[in-house]
Amino acid sequence: MKELNLSDVVQLNSGGPKMSIIRFIGVDGSNFQLRTADEVLKIQGFKDGDVICQWFDGNKLSSGTFRRETLNIVTG
């Protein structure tokens, strides 16, 4: 699997909207708020390195958390 980076454009393996990576779980341990948010995500079954993305649904900005292995980088 290709290395994912911040601001990469990705899409679920199964399709769906193009999304921008805005954060990786577990990367910024020095920020208390992010560390706390990451712990909540880990309780939900996510792990360090999983991905938080944003995308537009029409004019509405949406976001979600995804397992790294469920995403492909969009090329072209």
mmCIF file with all atom_site columns, all heavy atoms in Angstrom, residues 48-70:
data_model
loop_
_atom_site.group_PDB
_atom_site.id
_atom_site.type_symbol
_atom_site.label_atom_id
_atom_site.label_alt_id
_atom_site.label_comp_id
_atom_site.label_asym_id
_atom_site.label_entity_id
_atom_site.label_seq_id
_atom_site.pdbx_PDB_ins_code
_atom_site.Cartn_x
_atom_site.Cartn_y
_atom_site.Cartn_z
_atom_site.occupancy
_atom_site.B_iso_or_equiv
_atom_site.pdbx_formal_charge
_atom_site.auth_seq_id
_atom_site.auth_comp_id
_atom_site.auth_asym_id
_atom_site.auth_atom_id
_atom_site.pdbx_PDB_model_num
ATOM 1   N N   . ASP A 1 48 ? -3.796  3.838  15.957 1.00 0.00 ? 48 ASP A N   1
ATOM 2   C CA  . ASP A 1 48 ? -2.803  4.807  15.488 1.00 0.00 ? 48 ASP A CA  1
ATOM 3   C C   . ASP A 1 48 ? -2.566  4.600  14.001 1.00 0.00 ? 48 ASP A C   1
ATOM 4   O O   . ASP A 1 48 ? -2.438  3.468  13.530 1.00 0.00 ? 48 ASP A O   1
ATOM 5   C CB  . ASP A 1 48 ? -1.484  4.638  16.240 1.00 0.00 ? 48 ASP A CB  1
ATOM 6   C CG  . ASP A 1 48 ? -1.537  5.169  17.657 1.00 0.00 ? 48 ASP A CG  1
ATOM 7   O OD1 . ASP A 1 48 ? -2.479  5.906  17.991 1.00 0.00 ? 48 ASP A OD1 1
ATOM 8   O OD2 . ASP A 1 48 ? -0.628  4.835  18.444 1.00 0.00 ? 48 ASP A OD2 1
ATOM 9   N N   . GLY A 1 49 ? -2.511  5.706  13.273 1.00 0.00 ? 49 GLY A N   1
ATOM 10  C CA  . GLY A 1 49 ? -2.286  5.645  11.839 1.00 0.00 ? 49 GLY A CA  1
ATOM 11  C C   . GLY A 1 49 ? -3.560  5.668  11.011 1.00 0.00 ? 49 GLY A C   1
ATOM 12  O O   . GLY A 1 49 ? -3.502  5.882  9.801  1.00 0.00 ? 49 GLY A O   1
ATOM 13  N N   . ASP A 1 50 ? -4.719  5.416  11.636 1.00 0.00 ? 50 ASP A N   1
ATOM 14  C CA  . ASP A 1 50 ? -5.968  5.544  10.895 1.00 0.00 ? 50 ASP A CA  1
ATOM 15  C C   . ASP A 1 50 ? -6.185  7.019  10.567 1.00 0.00 ? 50 ASP A C   1
ATOM 16  O O   . ASP A 1 50 ? -5.511  7.901  11.098 1.00 0.00 ? 50 ASP A O   1
ATOM 17  C CB  . ASP A 1 50 ? -7.131  4.945  11.670 1.00 0.00 ? 50 ASP A CB  1
ATOM 18  C CG  . ASP A 1 50 ? -7.134  3.416  11.613 1.00 0.00 ? 50 ASP A CG  1
ATOM 19  O OD1 . ASP A 1 50 ? -6.484  2.840  10.716 1.00 0.00 ? 50 ASP A OD1 1
ATOM 20  O OD2 . ASP A 1 50 ? -7.789  2.804  12.469 1.00 0.00 ? 50 ASP A OD2 1
ATOM 21  N N   . VAL A 1 51 ? -7.114  7.298  9.671  1.00 0.00 ? 51 VAL A N   1
ATOM 22  C CA  . VAL A 1 51 ? -7.154  8.571  8.962  1.00 0.00 ? 51 VAL A CA  1
ATOM 23  C C   . VAL A 1 51 ? -8.464  9.333  9.207  1.00 0.00 ? 51 VAL A C   1
ATOM 24  O O   . VAL A 1 51 ? -9.537  8.749  9.183  1.00 0.00 ? 51 VAL A O   1
ATOM 25  C CB  . VAL A 1 51 ? -7.003  8.297  7.452  1.00 0.00 ? 51 VAL A CB  1
ATOM 26  C CG1 . VAL A 1 51 ? -6.997  9.582  6.662  1.00 0.00 ? 51 VAL A CG1 1
ATOM 27  C CG2 . VAL A 1 51 ? -5.739  7.501  7.172  1.00 0.00 ? 51 VAL A CG2 1
ATOM 28  N N   . ILE A 1 52 ? -8.338  10.638 9.418  1.00 0.00 ? 52 ILE A N   1
ATOM 29  C CA  . ILE A 1 52 ? -9.493  11.522 9.501  1.00 0.00 ? 52 ILE A CA  1
ATOM 30  C C   . ILE A 1 52 ? -9.505  12.362 8.223  1.00 0.00 ? 52 ILE A C   1
ATOM 31  O O   . ILE A 1 52 ? -8.493  12.966 7.851  1.00 0.00 ? 52 ILE A O   1
ATOM 32  C CB  . ILE A 1 52 ? -9.426  12.411 10.756 1.00 0.00 ? 52 ILE A CB  1
ATOM 33  C CG1 . ILE A 1 52 ? -9.417  11.516 11.991 1.00 0.00 ? 52 ILE A CG1 1
ATOM 34  C CG2 . ILE A 1 52 ? -10.604 13.388 10.786 1.00 0.00 ? 52 ILE A CG2 1
ATOM 35  C CD1 . ILE A 1 52 ? -9.129  12.229 13.282 1.00 0.00 ? 52 ILE A CD1 1
ATOM 36  N N   . CYS A 1 53 ? -10.645 12.349 7.536  1.00 0.00 ? 53 CYS A N   1
ATOM 37  C CA  . CYS A 1 53 ? -10.778 13.014 6.244  1.00 0.00 ? 53 CYS A CA  1
ATOM 38  C C   . CYS A 1 53 ? -11.923 14.015 6.270  1.00 0.00 ? 53 CYS A C   1
ATOM 39  O O   . CYS A 1 53 ? -12.829 13.909 7.094  1.00 0.00 ? 53 CYS A O   1
ATOM 40  C CB  . CYS A 1 53 ? -11.086 11.984 5.149  1.00 0.00 ? 53 CYS A CB  1
ATOM 41  S SG  . CYS A 1 53 ? -9.794  10.775 4.871  1.00 0.00 ? 53 CYS A SG  1
ATOM 42  N N   . GLN A 1 54 ? -11.860 14.959 5.322  1.00 0.00 ? 54 GLN A N   1
ATOM 43  C CA  . GLN A 1 54 ? -12.953 15.893 5.082  1.00 0.00 ? 54 GLN A CA  1
ATOM 44  C C   . GLN A 1 54 ? -13.287 15.870 3.599  1.00 0.00 ? 54 GLN A C   1
ATOM 45  O O   . GLN A 1 54 ? -12.427 15.613 2.759  1.00 0.00 ? 54 GLN A O   1
ATOM 46  C CB  . GLN A 1 54 ? -12.565 17.322 5.456  1.00 0.00 ? 54 GLN A CB  1
ATOM 47  C CG  . GLN A 1 54 ? -12.505 17.589 6.921  1.00 0.00 ? 54 GLN A CG  1
ATOM 48  C CD  . GLN A 1 54 ? -12.217 19.052 7.210  1.00 0.00 ? 54 GLN A CD  1
ATOM 49  O OE1 . GLN A 1 54 ? -11.565 19.742 6.434  1.00 0.00 ? 54 GLN A OE1 1
ATOM 50  N NE2 . GLN A 1 54 ? -12.669 19.524 8.357  1.00 0.00 ? 54 GLN A NE2 1
ATOM 51  N N   . TRP A 1 55 ? -14.579 16.141 3.288  1.00 0.00 ? 55 TRP A N   1
ATOM 52  C CA  . TRP A 1 55 ? -15.029 16.224 1.913  1.00 0.00 ? 55 TRP A CA  1
ATOM 53  C C   . TRP A 1 55 ? -16.279 17.093 1.871  1.00 0.00 ? 55 TRP A C   1
ATOM 54  O O   . TRP A 1 55 ? -16.885 17.353 2.898  1.00 0.00 ? 55 TRP A O   1
ATOM 55  C CB  . TRP A 1 55 ? -15.302 14.835 1.336  1.00 0.00 ? 55 TRP A CB  1
ATOM 56  C CG  . TRP A 1 55 ? -16.454 14.123 1.997  1.00 0.00 ? 55 TRP A CG  1
ATOM 57  C CD1 . TRP A 1 55 ? -17.757 14.097 1.571  1.00 0.00 ? 55 TRP A CD1 1
ATOM 58  C CD2 . TRP A 1 55 ? -16.423 13.359 3.202  1.00 0.00 ? 55 TRP A CD2 1
ATOM 59  N NE1 . TRP A 1 55 ? -18.527 13.361 2.431  1.00 0.00 ? 55 TRP A NE1 1
ATOM 60  C CE2 . TRP A 1 55 ? -17.733 12.889 3.460  1.00 0.00 ? 55 TRP A CE2 1
ATOM 61  C CE3 . TRP A 1 55 ? -15.422 13.015 4.118  1.00 0.00 ? 55 TRP A CE3 1
ATOM 62  C CZ2 . TRP A 1 55 ? -18.060 12.118 4.559  1.00 0.00 ? 55 TRP A CZ2 1
ATOM 63  C CZ3 . TRP A 1 55 ? -15.749 12.241 5.216  1.00 0.00 ? 55 TRP A CZ3 1
ATOM 64  C CH2 . TRP A 1 55 ? -17.053 11.795 5.427  1.00 0.00 ? 55 TRP A CH2 1
ATOM 65  N N   . PHE A 1 56 ? -16.629 17.524 0.690  1.00 0.00 ? 56 PHE A N   1
ATOM 66  C CA  . PHE A 1 56 ? -17.847 18.297 0.511  1.00 0.00 ? 56 PHE A CA  1
ATOM 67  C C   . PHE A 1 56 ? -18.960 17.394 -0.002 1.00 0.00 ? 56 PHE A C   1
ATOM 68  O O   . PHE A 1 56 ? -18.773 16.624 -0.925 1.00 0.00 ? 56 PHE A O   1
ATOM 69  C CB  . PHE A 1 56 ? -17.633 19.466 -0.455 1.00 0.00 ? 56 PHE A CB  1
ATOM 70  C CG  . PHE A 1 56 ? -16.941 20.626 0.185  1.00 0.00 ? 56 PHE A CG  1
ATOM 71  C CD1 . PHE A 1 56 ? -15.579 20.803 0.049  1.00 0.00 ? 56 PHE A CD1 1
ATOM 72  C CD2 . PHE A 1 56 ? -17.656 21.540 0.946  1.00 0.00 ? 56 PHE A CD2 1
ATOM 73  C CE1 . PHE A 1 56 ? -14.935 21.865 0.647  1.00 0.00 ? 56 PHE A CE1 1
ATOM 74  C CE2 . PHE A 1 56 ? -17.023 22.608 1.551  1.00 0.00 ? 56 PHE A CE2 1
ATOM 75  C CZ  . PHE A 1 56 ? -15.661 22.769 1.401  1.00 0.00 ? 56 PHE A CZ  1
ATOM 76  N N   . ASP A 1 57 ? -20.116 17.509 0.645  1.00 0.00 ? 57 ASP A N   1
ATOM 77  C CA  . ASP A 1 57 ? -21.347 16.852 0.209  1.00 0.00 ? 57 ASP A CA  1
ATOM 78  C C   . ASP A 1 57 ? -22.261 17.977 -0.253 1.00 0.00 ? 57 ASP A C   1
ATOM 79  O O   . ASP A 1 57 ? -22.948 18.594 0.550  1.00 0.00 ? 57 ASP A O   1
ATOM 80  C CB  . ASP A 1 57 ? -21.950 16.068 1.376  1.00 0.00 ? 57 ASP A CB  1
ATOM 81  C CG  . ASP A 1 57 ? -23.206 15.315 0.997  1.00 0.00 ? 57 ASP A CG  1
ATOM 82  O OD1 . ASP A 1 57 ? -23.515 15.227 -0.214 1.00 0.00 ? 57 ASP A OD1 1
ATOM 83  O OD2 . ASP A 1 57 ? -23.890 14.821 1.912  1.00 0.00 ? 57 ASP A OD2 1
ATOM 84  N N   . GLY A 1 58 ? -22.167 18.314 -1.551 1.00 0.00 ? 58 GLY A N   1
ATOM 85  C CA  . GLY A 1 58 ? -22.811 19.534 -2.037 1.00 0.00 ? 58 GLY A CA  1
ATOM 86  C C   . GLY A 1 58 ? -22.061 20.726 -1.479 1.00 0.00 ? 58 GLY A C   1
ATOM 87  O O   . GLY A 1 58 ? -20.868 20.852 -1.664 1.00 0.00 ? 58 GLY A O   1
ATOM 88  N N   . ASN A 1 59 ? -22.751 21.574 -0.722 1.00 0.00 ? 59 ASN A N   1
ATOM 89  C CA  . ASN A 1 59 ? -22.108 22.727 -0.078 1.00 0.00 ? 59 ASN A CA  1
ATOM 90  C C   . ASN A 1 59 ? -21.749 22.455 1.374  1.00 0.00 ? 59 ASN A C   1
ATOM 91  O O   . ASN A 1 59 ? -21.213 23.329 2.049  1.00 0.00 ? 59 ASN A O   1
ATOM 92  C CB  . ASN A 1 59 ? -23.034 23.950 -0.138 1.00 0.00 ? 59 ASN A CB  1
ATOM 93  C CG  . ASN A 1 59 ? -23.165 24.477 -1.544 1.00 0.00 ? 59 ASN A CG  1
ATOM 94  O OD1 . ASN A 1 59 ? -22.245 24.364 -2.336 1.00 0.00 ? 59 ASN A OD1 1
ATOM 95  N ND2 . ASN A 1 59 ? -24.313 25.046 -1.854 1.00 0.00 ? 59 ASN A ND2 1
ATOM 96  N N   . LYS A 1 60 ? -22.063 21.264 1.871  1.00 0.00 ? 60 LYS A N   1
ATOM 97  C CA  . LYS A 1 60 ? -21.833 20.922 3.278  1.00 0.00 ? 60 LYS A CA  1
ATOM 98  C C   . LYS A 1 60 ? -20.484 20.214 3.449  1.00 0.00 ? 60 LYS A C   1
ATOM 99  O O   . LYS A 1 60 ? -20.201 19.237 2.766  1.00 0.00 ? 60 LYS A O   1
ATOM 100 C CB  . LYS A 1 60 ? -22.955 20.017 3.770  1.00 0.00 ? 60 LYS A CB  1
ATOM 101 C CG  . LYS A 1 60 ? -22.803 19.604 5.207  1.00 0.00 ? 60 LYS A CG  1
ATOM 102 C CD  . LYS A 1 60 ? -23.923 18.658 5.625  1.00 0.00 ? 60 LYS A CD  1
ATOM 103 C CE  . LYS A 1 60 ? -23.652 18.162 7.026  1.00 0.00 ? 60 LYS A CE  1
ATOM 104 N NZ  . LYS A 1 60 ? -23.694 16.725 7.105  1.00 0.00 ? 60 LYS A NZ  1
ATOM 105 N N   . LEU A 1 61 ? -19.674 20.733 4.370  1.00 0.00 ? 61 LEU A N   1
ATOM 106 C CA  . LEU A 1 61 ? -18.398 20.105 4.696  1.00 0.00 ? 61 LEU A CA  1
ATOM 107 C C   . LEU A 1 61 ? -18.656 18.952 5.660  1.00 0.00 ? 61 LEU A C   1
ATOM 108 O O   . LEU A 1 61 ? -19.274 19.129 6.707  1.00 0.00 ? 61 LEU A O   1
ATOM 109 C CB  . LEU A 1 61 ? -17.445 21.122 5.340  1.00 0.00 ? 61 LEU A CB  1
ATOM 110 C CG  . LEU A 1 61 ? -16.056 20.613 5.694  1.00 0.00 ? 61 LEU A CG  1
ATOM 111 C CD1 . LEU A 1 61 ? -15.306 20.157 4.438  1.00 0.00 ? 61 LEU A CD1 1
ATOM 112 C CD2 . LEU A 1 61 ? -15.267 21.693 6.419  1.00 0.00 ? 61 LEU A CD2 1
ATOM 113 N N   . SER A 1 62 ? -18.208 17.773 5.280  1.00 0.00 ? 62 SER A N   1
ATOM 114 C CA  . SER A 1 62 ? -18.380 16.579 6.116  1.00 0.00 ? 62 SER A CA  1
ATOM 115 C C   . SER A 1 62 ? -17.025 16.031 6.504  1.00 0.00 ? 62 SER A C   1
ATOM 116 O O   . SER A 1 62 ? -16.008 16.342 5.880  1.00 0.00 ? 62 SER A O   1
ATOM 117 C CB  . SER A 1 62 ? -19.155 15.502 5.342  1.00 0.00 ? 62 SER A CB  1
ATOM 118 O OG  . SER A 1 62 ? -20.446 15.949 5.007  1.00 0.00 ? 62 SER A OG  1
ATOM 119 N N   . SER A 1 63 ? -16.993 15.205 7.543  1.00 0.00 ? 63 SER A N   1
ATOM 120 C CA  . SER A 1 63 ? -15.741 14.571 7.954  1.00 0.00 ? 63 SER A CA  1
ATOM 121 C C   . SER A 1 63 ? -16.033 13.192 8.505  1.00 0.00 ? 63 SER A C   1
ATOM 122 O O   . SER A 1 63 ? -17.166 12.882 8.896  1.00 0.00 ? 63 SER A O   1
ATOM 123 C CB  . SER A 1 63 ? -15.010 15.426 8.989  1.00 0.00 ? 63 SER A CB  1
ATOM 124 O OG  . SER A 1 63 ? -15.768 15.524 10.172 1.00 0.00 ? 63 SER A OG  1
ATOM 125 N N   . GLY A 1 64 ? -15.006 12.375 8.528  1.00 0.00 ? 64 GLY A N   1
ATOM 126 C CA  . GLY A 1 64 ? -15.154 11.032 9.066  1.00 0.00 ? 64 GLY A CA  1
ATOM 127 C C   . GLY A 1 64 ? -13.799 10.404 9.321  1.00 0.00 ? 64 GLY A C   1
ATOM 128 O O   . GLY A 1 64 ? -12.766 10.913 8.869  1.00 0.00 ? 64 GLY A O   1
ATOM 129 N N   . THR A 1 65 ? -13.816 9.311  10.050 1.00 0.00 ? 65 THR A N   1
ATOM 130 C CA  . THR A 1 65 ? -12.600 8.575  10.383 1.00 0.00 ? 65 THR A CA  1
ATOM 131 C C   . THR A 1 65 ? -12.651 7.232  9.678  1.00 0.00 ? 65 THR A C   1
ATOM 132 O O   . THR A 1 65 ? -13.685 6.566  9.662  1.00 0.00 ? 65 THR A O   1
ATOM 133 C CB  . THR A 1 65 ? -12.504 8.382  11.909 1.00 0.00 ? 65 THR A CB  1
ATOM 134 O OG1 . THR A 1 65 ? -12.621 9.663  12.539 1.00 0.00 ? 65 THR A OG1 1
ATOM 135 C CG2 . THR A 1 65 ? -11.184 7.753  12.303 1.00 0.00 ? 65 THR A CG2 1
ATOM 136 N N   . PHE A 1 66 ? -11.513 6.834  9.115  1.00 0.00 ? 66 PHE A N   1
ATOM 137 C CA  . PHE A 1 66 ? -11.454 5.626  8.298  1.00 0.00 ? 66 PHE A CA  1
ATOM 138 C C   . PHE A 1 66 ? -10.207 4.821  8.619  1.00 0.00 ? 66 PHE A C   1
ATOM 139 O O   . PHE A 1 66 ? -9.163  5.392  8.936  1.00 0.00 ? 66 PHE A O   1
ATOM 140 C CB  . PHE A 1 66 ? -11.433 5.996  6.807  1.00 0.00 ? 66 PHE A CB  1
ATOM 141 C CG  . PHE A 1 66 ? -12.600 6.842  6.394  1.00 0.00 ? 66 PHE A CG  1
ATOM 142 C CD1 . PHE A 1 66 ? -12.524 8.222  6.434  1.00 0.00 ? 66 PHE A CD1 1
ATOM 143 C CD2 . PHE A 1 66 ? -13.778 6.253  5.987  1.00 0.00 ? 66 PHE A CD2 1
ATOM 144 C CE1 . PHE A 1 66 ? -13.607 9.014  6.068  1.00 0.00 ? 66 PHE A CE1 1
ATOM 145 C CE2 . PHE A 1 66 ? -14.875 7.036  5.629  1.00 0.00 ? 66 PHE A CE2 1
ATOM 146 C CZ  . PHE A 1 66 ? -14.778 8.409  5.666  1.00 0.00 ? 66 PHE A CZ  1
ATOM 147 N N   . ARG A 1 67 ? -10.334 3.515  8.520  1.00 0.00 ? 67 ARG A N   1
ATOM 148 C CA  . ARG A 1 67 ? -9.164  2.656  8.642  1.00 0.00 ? 67 ARG A CA  1
ATOM 149 C C   . ARG A 1 67 ? -8.299  2.870  7.408  1.00 0.00 ? 67 ARG A C   1
ATOM 150 O O   . ARG A 1 67 ? -8.795  2.938  6.293  1.00 0.00 ? 67 ARG A O   1
ATOM 151 C CB  . ARG A 1 67 ? -9.587  1.203  8.785  1.00 0.00 ? 67 ARG A CB  1
ATOM 152 C CG  . ARG A 1 67 ? -10.207 0.963  10.134 1.00 0.00 ? 67 ARG A CG  1
ATOM 153 C CD  . ARG A 1 67 ? -10.613 -0.486 10.333 1.00 0.00 ? 67 ARG A CD  1
ATOM 154 N NE  . ARG A 1 67 ? -11.115 -0.677 11.679 1.00 0.00 ? 67 ARG A NE  1
ATOM 155 C CZ  . ARG A 1 67 ? -12.330 -0.320 12.098 1.00 0.00 ? 67 ARG A CZ  1
ATOM 156 N NH1 . ARG A 1 67 ? -13.164 0.246  11.245 1.00 0.00 ? 67 ARG A NH1 1
ATOM 157 N NH2 . ARG A 1 67 ? -12.707 -0.522 13.334 1.00 0.00 ? 67 ARG A NH2 1
ATOM 158 N N   . ARG A 1 68 ? -7.023  2.980  7.642  1.00 0.00 ? 68 ARG A N   1
ATOM 159 C CA  . ARG A 1 68 ? -6.062  3.274  6.577  1.00 0.00 ? 68 ARG A CA  1
ATOM 160 C C   . ARG A 1 68 ? -6.190  2.316  5.394  1.00 0.00 ? 68 ARG A C   1
ATOM 161 O O   . ARG A 1 68 ? -6.146  2.710  4.241  1.00 0.00 ? 68 ARG A O   1
ATOM 162 C CB  . ARG A 1 68 ? -4.659  3.214  7.195  1.00 0.00 ? 68 ARG A CB  1
ATOM 163 C CG  . ARG A 1 68 ? -3.568  3.453  6.244  1.00 0.00 ? 68 ARG A CG  1
ATOM 164 C CD  . ARG A 1 68 ? -2.229  3.379  6.960  1.00 0.00 ? 68 ARG A CD  1
ATOM 165 N NE  . ARG A 1 68 ? -1.450  4.475  6.481  1.00 0.00 ? 68 ARG A NE  1
ATOM 166 C CZ  . ARG A 1 68 ? -0.925  5.425  7.194  1.00 0.00 ? 68 ARG A CZ  1
ATOM 167 N NH1 . ARG A 1 68 ? -1.052  5.412  8.482  1.00 0.00 ? 68 ARG A NH1 1
ATOM 168 N NH2 . ARG A 1 68 ? -0.254  6.396  6.662  1.00 0.00 ? 68 ARG A NH2 1
ATOM 169 N N   . GLU A 1 69 ? -6.422  1.035  5.687  1.00 0.00 ? 69 GLU A N   1
ATOM 170 C CA  . GLU A 1 69 ? -6.452  0.030  4.629  1.00 0.00 ? 69 GLU A CA  1
ATOM 171 C C   . GLU A 1 69 ? -7.710  0.098  3.757  1.00 0.00 ? 69 GLU A C   1
ATOM 172 O O   . GLU A 1 69 ? -7.803  -0.571 2.733  1.00 0.00 ? 69 GLU A O   1
ATOM 173 C CB  . GLU A 1 69 ? -6.282  -1.383 5.194  1.00 0.00 ? 69 GLU A CB  1
ATOM 174 C CG  . GLU A 1 69 ? -7.346  -1.802 6.172  1.00 0.00 ? 69 GLU A CG  1
ATOM 175 C CD  . GLU A 1 69 ? -7.061  -1.424 7.624  1.00 0.00 ? 69 GLU A CD  1
ATOM 176 O OE1 . GLU A 1 69 ? -6.109  -0.666 7.909  1.00 0.00 ? 69 GLU A OE1 1
ATOM 177 O OE2 . GLU A 1 69 ? -7.814  -1.907 8.487  1.00 0.00 ? 69 GLU A OE2 1
ATOM 178 N N   . THR A 1 70 ? -8.683  0.929  4.130  1.00 0.00 ? 70 THR A N   1
ATOM 179 C CA  . THR A 1 70 ? -9.919  1.046  3.351  1.00 0.00 ? 70 THR A CA  1
ATOM 180 C C   . THR A 1 70 ? -9.834  2.183  2.323  1.00 0.00 ? 70 THR A C   1
ATOM 181 O O   . THR A 1 70 ? -10.816 2.421  1.619  1.00 0.00 ? 70 THR A O   1
ATOM 182 C CB  . THR A 1 70 ? -11.144 1.283  4.252  1.00 0.00 ? 70 THR A CB  1
ATOM 183 O OG1 . THR A 1 70 ? -11.015 2.565  4.895  1.00 0.00 ? 70 THR A OG1 1
ATOM 184 C CG2 . THR A 1 70 ? -11.294 0.185  5.285  1.00 0.00 ? 70 THR A CG2 1
#
